[in-house]
Amino acid sequence: MDREHTSRQRKHRRGMRFAAVALVLALAVGGWFAAGAVGQNLREQGAVSVRNAILDSAKQCCAIEGSYPSSLEHLEQGYGLRVNRDDYVITYEVFAENIMPSVVVVPR
């Protein structure tokens, strides 16, 4: 009976080790997916912030100069706007000087 009891104890310990390893792996994989989702969410929020900063600068320019700027470079040179072009693709389109420009910011 001692051998049978010892054998059951070994099997139980092996099962516990397997469960612990499986739990650690599950947590690691879950953390990896969560970190990716958080990173993507932060990039998207950053893109919204960049777009809002561009539009705010364009409105300020229109209030001061009487028309919307014809280019993003005008805002960068005259209004102190700084845009991280390494992290974002920015499309700035002007239809007319009295209509707010279309601004699209996409994370890279």
Side-chain angles (χ1 to χ4, degrees), residues 43-93:
R43 286 188 294 278
E44 289 171 5
Q45 287 178 2
V48 169
S49 295
V50 169
R51 182 178 185 275
N52 289 339
I54 293 169
L55 290 175
D56 289 346
S57 293
K59 291 174 192 175
Q60 182 182 17
C61 176
C62 185
I64 293 170
E65 298 180 18
S67 63
Y68 287 102
S70 60
S71 69
L72 192 57
E73 289 74 23
H74 182 81
L75 293 175
E76 291 175 314
Q77 292 170 1
Y79 292 88
L81 179 68
R82 299 289 175 254
V83 179
N84 184 347
R85 294 174 194 267
D86 293 335
D87 291 341
Y88 301 101
V89 176
I90 301 164
T91 304
Y92 183 91
E93 295 178 352

